[in-house]
Structures are given as structure tokens and as C-alpha cells.
Amino acid sequence: MIHNLKTSLFFLLALILSAMWATWPIVTTFEAAIPTSDGHLGTVPLFNAWTIWWNAESLSHGLSDYWNAPIFYPALGAFALSEPQPATLVLAPLVWYADSPVPAYNSYLIASLVLNGWFAARLLAVLHCQPMTQFFGGLAILLHPLALQNIEAIQLVPLWGALWTMTNIMRLGRKPSWQNGIWTGIALASVAATSIHQALLLSILVVSSLALLAMCYVLANLCLPGLRGLNRNLPTYSWRAVATAWGLAGLTSVILLLPLVGPMALIQSSYAVERPPELVVSLSANLRSWSTAPSNSVFRAIPLLKTADPGQFPEPLLPGWLSPGLALIGLSQWGRQRRIVCFGRQLLWAIAVFSFAFSFGPGLEFGNWNPWNWIAEHFSPVARIRSPYRFAYFTQVSIILLACLASDRFVGKRSVCGNRFQHLSPQRAWTRLLASVCLLMILAFENIPGQVRLVFPPTYVPNEHGWVNFLAETKDTAAILCLPTARGINESSQESVTLWMYYATQHRLPILNGYSGFTPSQWWILENKINSFGLNQNLESIKKMGANLIVVRKGQFPMPTDHPRLSVLFETDEIQIWKLH
């Protein structure tokens, strides 16, 4: 990393300002609004805000019943059906102080972007890149195209854990010590703390990449011992040291991940959750998405480069043309290098290739053999992956870092003109330095952040005479049913559900409704019956599930006005609260 304290503080300030610019105008509405990308609704950000609230709420009770979140009542373990994001537990004091998850949400988003840039610069420093390359490489990762295209999926924005893991793996390749092994395990566990989904994807990539590199090293030693060019960068450490370091890395990650992954696996298996094959196929990458750049790409006017309209799916996965081009140019620079730089390049290329291939999901076939289905059959967690295209997050990270490594050879060392430019005249040295700065700037800002749309969650005013306060003050209420329910699985239909969940952060009563990665069959069946046959025929089922209050948005659901088991308890211009006797 940049060792000079003043330079490091300047770099940190640049990252903070860049994160604020990428999420503008969030800083102007920090306590009132949360962001979503253009073309998306408030469904996902409202759900993630609820997740942050539940982490803080459960921490205030000593994490008792952590997995039994107050949705899909009376289902147990409902919190394990989606991303728990336990890393947001550190934001609990901010949630308690503000009595709202919104400031904590925005703080987490900006902090994640800043950490992405910082850990990217740290990785480039380990690969002996110059401070200038570290600076612009950090900015390039902070402005990661896919992360900003899906900014509402805040659980996917933190890439710093993956960068930290890759950095420690590179250090293990240079020096397989027990300290590096433990830190590698901690780094991998940090990825799961932000996103279980991304931790699973990264684990698959790391295992695949290391297996390929190990096989290549063994073959090079056994079959090509006389080729000095292939063997000069091979590790020379004993197998015992290597096995100890990697064994500690695996053991540390398992110990840290077991309290999180273990309960989730047991709960999900009890619900027999599975992904519909057609859904997984629809959320997989294809050649069109990999030949399409974001609509905010600087070079979108190039005729050979397709650009996507906002909100179009499949997602545009190509990060532009400059970074892939520089990464390919870097292949020609594979000369005599330090061992860690050589291993770092190989690891990044392996991750880039495997993540690119896996992003196609079930769509990648070789004759009658489908790699995705074969892996899912032998490794059950893969069968629960919903969006294979998200492997592209790691493809873009690897490509950007490889482009930085390729650009680094043009940057001088130690001084302004540097040792690399000593053979040049001062004028030519300054010209080359300026050209390298321009190249790194274009690489960093190849994709300008798109327009952020603001979502304004409902504001809670304590002691105000409203329906939320009425529910908060109501006693002897086991749970409530909120109507209307969702009439589909698309984002627009589910937005009303996440809004009911956000209201639950204010009145703190369990609700029968819910939104998550998986839906318990008990609620799914009742929801379909209510939407198909109305309320009269389902009152007994609602009562058996524990709800004795029904909250209805006026004009959006027909209520039986003369049913003997129903009576109005509270009414406003928009909401009615019914008592189920």
C-alpha cells in the first residue's frame, strides 16, 4: 500500500469523494432516502434496509431468535431464506440512534465502495505496482461497472472481502506460512459476512483456479524440468509448509463460517428449497451480455461495441474495451518477474477465465455434457445459486486488475521520471509519464456512474396518531396480515410486500407476509388462495397461522363488510385495521 501517511490520507479522501460522487445525490438526503439504479424499483433496497434493521434489532436482544425473523409468521428460520448480511451488525448503534435503518444503509454503501478501492490498491501494492497505479486501480474498482449497475443489491457491492482473500492467497503463494494461512481463512469468512452468495461463488473460483495452477506446476516440474523459463517462478517451499498453510486457511474459514452457514443449510434443507431451472437459465449470462457494454461507458460511440439500455436484461457484462484490451496486452509482458507478481497474474487470469465460463450457468454445454448441471449434482450448494451471471463480478475485478498490471510498466519508479525512464531524455520521460497518467485515468473512469434513483421509505413519527402507532401500542397481538398481497414474483409486484416489511420495522409486529430468496410453502399457498378466492374462505387459515389483525390499504383489496368475524378497529384515509375474532 502507499506507505506515505499524507499520500494515504489523500488517497482515502479521494475514495470517499468518489464514493459520494458515484452515489449522488444520496449525501443530500442521507437520512431520508436510499438508492436504487435507474430502471429498478424500491423492492430490493427496501428489503435490504429491513435486513439491516433486523440485524440491529436482534443484536439488541442478544441475537436470541436471530434466524426467526418476524416475516412469514409463524414459519421458523425465515431469516435464513435470504442473505443475512451479518457484517451490518456493526451498524446497529447507528440504527438505534437514528431509530431508522436508512442512515446505516447509506453509510454501509459508501463504506463498502471506499473499502473496495482501498483493498484493490492494497492488492496492487502486494504485486509491486507503483503508487500511481495503486491510486487509479483503486478508483477503477470503486467504480466497478456491475456493482454500480446493481447498486440496489447492496449485499453484492462489498468486493473488498474477495480482494482481501485474493491478496492473501497471493501472499501464500510467495510465503506459505501459518500466519498467512489464518489470515486467508479470515478473509474468506469476511466475504460470507457480506454475502453468502458471493462467498459461494468465490470459493468455487478459488478452488478451481488453485487446482488448475497446481496441476500446471506439477506438470511443469514432471514433464518439462529442463525449460528454465517455465520453472524459474515455481515455488521452492516444502510440501509440508504448503500443506500446513493451506490447511490452516481451510480450517480457519470453516470454523468462522460454520455458525453462519450451518444453520442456514439446515433451515433451507428443512424447507426443501430449490431453484426452478428456467429461472436459473434466465439469470445466466450469454454472448449478447458479454458483448454489451453499459450505457454509461465512455466509449459507447464505438461502432463495434454494443451498449445496453438502462434496465435491460441480460445485464451488460463487458466492462468496456480498454480494460480487456490492456489485460490481453499484458500477456505479452510475461517475462522475468518476481514470484508473487507471476503467481498473482496467473491467479487473476484463472479467476477471470473460470468466472467467465461459470457466468453462463446451464447455458454452457460441451456436446451432451453440461458442466453446471454436473457440478450441481455433485455439489448441492451450486443447485441453490439463483443468478450465475453474478460470477461476472469477479470477471470484471480480475480484468480491471490485470489491466492495471499491464499499465504499470509505463509508470516510472521512485522519482517523477523514474528508473524506467533513465535512458530517455527529460522531455520524452515527462511525455511518457503524462501518457501513462492519462491511460490510468481513462481506465479508472472508463464507465461513468449512472443516474441513481432515490427511494424514500415511509417516515416514522413516534406518538403521532397514525395506523403504525396504533399497531405499536396494540396489546395481545400475535401477528398481522397485510393486504393486498403480491400477485406475482416480479419486482413491481413484490414492492408492496417490502413496503409492508419496512412498516414492520416501525410497529415491530410479526407479519404473515414476506419477501426473500425463497418463500415458505405455507405462506405461498395461503397467498395464492387469498388472491384467487378472496378473504371469506381463508379466515380460518389466517387465524390458525396466528394473525388476529388485518391491515388493508383502502381501494386495493375488497373486504367483506358484513362478516361476523371481522370488525374495523382503526381507520385513516389510506389504511383500515380489521380485527379477526
Side-chain angles (χ1 to χ4, degrees):
M1 193 55 197
I2 303 170
H3 295 295
N4 184 279
L5 179 59
K6 291 183 178 179
T7 308
S8 297
L9 292 176
F10 172 76
F11 177 53
L12 180 60
L13 178 61
L15 291 177
I16 295 173
L17 293 177
S18 298
M20 294 168 62
W21 169 60
T23 58
W24 188 267
I26 279 300
V27 293
T28 63
T29 57
F30 201 77
E31 298 181 359
I34 52 180
T36 186
S37 55
D38 193 25
H40 288 270
L41 302 175
T43 306
V44 177
L46 284 172
F47 173 67
N48 284 321
W50 173 87
T51 300
I52 292 175
W53 167 81
W54 175 244
N55 273 298
E57 181 71 9
S58 57
L59 184 61
S60 67
H61 298 94
L63 297 180
S64 61
D65 285 337
Y66 178 71
W67 298 109
N68 297 326
I71 57 173
F72 298 125
Y73 188 86
L76 299 177
F79 200 46
L81 300 177
S82 58
E83 287 284 0
Q85 303 178 56
T88 60
L89 285 167
V90 300
L91 301 169
L94 185 56
V95 177
W96 300 333
Y97 175 77
D99 199 21
S100 167
V102 172
Y105 184 105
N106 292 326
S107 300
Y108 184 68
L109 174 61
I110 292 178
S112 298
L113 293 173
V114 171
L115 288 174
N116 289 350
W118 187 268
F119 276 87
R122 189 169 175 267
L123 184 149
L124 292 171
V126 169
L127 295 180
H128 298 280
C129 290
Q130 303 309 306
M132 187 181 301
T133 306
Q134 299 173 37
F135 179 85
F136 287 107
L139 290 178
I141 294 296
L142 184 149
L143 301 175
H144 187 279
L146 196 52
L148 294 182
Q149 286 168 219
N150 297 275
I151 199 171
E152 66 280 351
I154 196 173
Q155 68 272 25
L156 304 178
V157 173
L159 298 168
W160 57 267
L163 293 163
W164 188 19
T165 303
M166 288 189 280
T167 302
N168 284 310
I169 290 175
M170 293 173 189
R171 284 177 168 167
L172 271 180
R174 179 187 63 180
K175 184 180 180 181
S177 64
W178 65 269
Q179 296 96 329
N180 286 338
I182 291 176
W183 280 113
T184 302
I186 295 173
L188 182 58
S190 72
V191 182
T194 58
S195 172
I196 293 289
H197 187 277
Q198 295 299 78
L200 174 59
L201 302 190
L202 180 63
S203 300
I204 294 172
L205 294 177
V206 166
V207 171
S208 303
S209 301
L210 292 177
L212 175 63
L213 294 179
M215 183 177 62
C216 292
Y217 286 154
V218 171
L219 290 176
N221 269 327
L222 295 178
C223 304
L224 303 168
L227 294 183
R228 193 173 57 180
L230 287 175
N231 287 285
R232 62 169 171 255
N233 288 311
L234 294 180
T236 57
Y237 300 105
S238 66
W239 286 107
R240 180 179 296 179
V242 173
T244 300
W246 288 104
L248 281 173
L251 181 62
T252 303
S253 62
V254 168
I255 292 175
L256 294 176
L257 289 174
L258 197 58
L260 178 64
V261 177
M264 291 188 68
L266 291 175
I267 292 170
Q268 290 186 10
S269 62
S270 68
Y271 284 104
V273 295
E274 58 181 16
R275 299 293 189 186
E278 58 277 8
L279 176 64
V280 178
V281 171
S282 68
L283 294 175
S284 298
N286 52 39
L287 291 178
R288 178 186 175 188
S289 56
W290 275 114
S291 61
T292 307
S295 58
N296 56 335
S297 176
V298 173
F299 304 105
R300 60 184 179 274
I302 296 178
L304 297 178
L305 195 65
K306 297 179 182 179
T307 57
D309 297 326
Q312 180 184 1
F313 199 88
E315 295 278 353
L317 302 180
L318 188 69
W321 69 269
L322 181 61
S323 51
L326 287 173
L328 292 174
I329 291 173
L331 288 173
S332 63
Q333 304 170 5
W334 217 302
R336 181 176 293 275
Q337 298 169 331
R338 302 186 186 190
R339 178 180 297 161
I340 191 171
V341 178
C342 181
F343 177 67
R345 283 181 182 272
Q346 293 168 355
L347 179 66
L348 290 174
W349 269 113
I351 290 176
V353 171
F354 277 115
S355 59
F356 173 78
F358 285 138
S359 69
F360 287 86
L364 186 65
E365 293 182 335
F366 299 96
N368 294 326
W369 183 58
N370 189 301
W372 182 271
N373 293 335
W374 183 85
I375 296 174
E377 182 180 350
H378 294 84
F379 186 55
S380 58
V382 174
R384 298 177 184 176
I385 294 178
R386 175 178 175 269
S387 307
Y389 84 91
R390 289 176 177 171
F391 275 104
Y393 277 82
F394 303 104
T395 314
Q396 292 188 356
V397 166
S398 300
I399 288 176
I400 293 172
L401 293 175
L402 287 167
C404 291
L405 288 174
S407 305
D408 187 63
R409 70 186 302 266
F410 299 105
V411 181
K413 287 184 176 180
R414 296 184 185 175
S415 62
V416 175
C417 293
N419 292 347
R420 292 179 183 177
F421 301 156
Q422 283 183 347
H423 63 286
L424 301 177
S425 64
Q427 183 177 2
R428 293 186 62 186
W430 277 101
T431 302
R432 186 168 178 178
L433 179 64
L434 182 61
S436 64
V437 172
C438 292
L439 178 65
L440 288 169
M441 286 186 64
I442 297 173
L443 176 62
F445 299 100
E446 185 174 8
N447 295 283
I448 304 299
Q451 180 65 42
V452 170
R453 194 174 71 84
L454 299 180
V455 176
F456 290 86
T459 303
Y460 175 59
V461 181
N463 301 321
E464 184 180 278
H465 188 65
W467 69 272
V468 173
N469 282 278
F470 177 83
L471 286 177
E473 297 170 359
T474 302
K475 299 180 180 180
D476 301 326
T477 300
I480 63 175
L481 170 67
C482 302
L483 298 175
T485 61
R487 291 186 174 272
I489 61 173
N490 55 62
E491 189 177 9
S492 58
S493 298
Q494 296 292 331
E495 185 178 26
S496 61
V497 180
T498 55
L499 192 60
W500 289 127
M501 291 173 63
Y502 191 87
Y503 278 122
T505 68
Q506 301 168 355
H507 59 65
R508 289 175 165 78
L509 292 177
I511 62 175
L512 270 60
N513 312 62
Y515 173 82
S516 68
F518 300 99
T519 302
S521 59
Q522 185 179 14
W523 166 247
W524 180 78
I525 293 171
L526 177 61
E527 184 181 46
N528 285 336
K529 286 182 178 180
I530 292 175
N531 289 332
S532 301
F533 306 110
L535 206 59
N536 280 345
Q537 301 181 31
N538 296 287
L539 290 179
E540 190 60 32
S541 297
I542 294 171
K543 190 68 176 179
K544 286 182 178 179
M545 291 180 68
N548 55 0
L549 292 181
I550 301 176
V551 179
V552 184
R553 198 174 295 279
K554 283 186 176 180
Q556 296 187 18
F557 189 88
M559 290 292 294
T561 57
D562 55 351
H563 199 285
R565 297 186 62 183
L566 292 172
S567 61
V568 178
L569 286 184
F570 187 84
E571 185 173 3
T572 65
D573 293 338
E574 298 180 352
I575 296 292
Q576 282 183 330
I577 298 177
W578 295 69
K579 176 71 175 180
L580 175 57
H581 301 283

